[in-house]
Amino acid sequence: MNHWIIWLLAINALSLVAAFFHVLKARSTKSDSPKEWSREDLVACILSALAYVNCLAGTALLLMNQWTGYALTAFTIVQVVAMYYIIDPKLRKISDDFEKKQQEYLEELDKIVEWE
């Protein structure tokens, strides 16, 4: 077995542990402003990059029918799910704020159009 696969599996395990602790910590604290870069963005970026590398390496190793391909594919699935749970609350907050501003703008536009 190649040494890079062992390092890749170790990095994946550490990233998932860090994501797990981040999710636990994020449940107890709330983000101040969703428009600023925060820890959620950094963790999601790292998980997405690792998931991309795992997908490529895992697919290649799966085609060669090696056990590490199955492990990398499993890590990829778990990382994508963790990435969703980490970044989704922030994206929902931004989306809600945008919808609120859009509704206010449409109401103001209706008032202007009715005035004429």
Side-chain angles (χ1 to χ4, degrees):
M1 178 171 31
N2 293 333
H3 295 288
W4 67 271
I5 295 173
I6 295 171
W7 282 105
L8 188 59
L9 290 173
I11 290 170
N12 286 316
L14 289 174
S15 72
L16 290 176
V17 168
F20 176 73
F21 283 122
H22 176 77
V23 168
L24 289 178
K25 185 178 179 183
R27 290 188 190 273
S28 63
T29 60
K30 294 293 179 187
S31 175
D32 293 337
S33 174
K35 293 184 180 180
E36 296 178 6
W37 279 85
S38 62
R39 185 181 301 163
E40 288 90 5
D41 300 313
L42 178 64
V43 172
C45 287
I46 291 170
L47 287 176
S48 67
L50 285 173
Y52 179 74
V53 170
N54 290 341
C55 183
L56 294 176
T59 303
L61 292 169
L62 272 174
L63 291 174
M64 292 188 286
N65 200 20
Q66 293 188 5
W67 71 270
T68 51
Y70 295 103
L72 288 177
T73 304
F75 273 122
T76 302
I77 293 168
V78 173
Q79 284 172 338
V80 168
V81 170
M83 185 175 47
Y84 172 77
Y85 280 114
I86 288 172
I87 203 68
D88 186 57
K90 184 174 183 173
L91 293 178
R92 285 186 192 271
K93 174 82 170 131
I94 291 172
S95 178
D96 291 342
D97 290 346
F98 179 76
E99 286 179 11
K100 189 184 296 181
K101 286 181 183 178
Q102 186 178 22
Q103 185 64 31
E104 290 172 1
Y105 173 74
L106 289 175
E107 289 172 1
E108 186 177 327
L109 187 63
D110 283 341
K111 289 179 184 177
I112 292 172
V113 170
E114 287 176 4
W115 181 256
E116 294 177 358

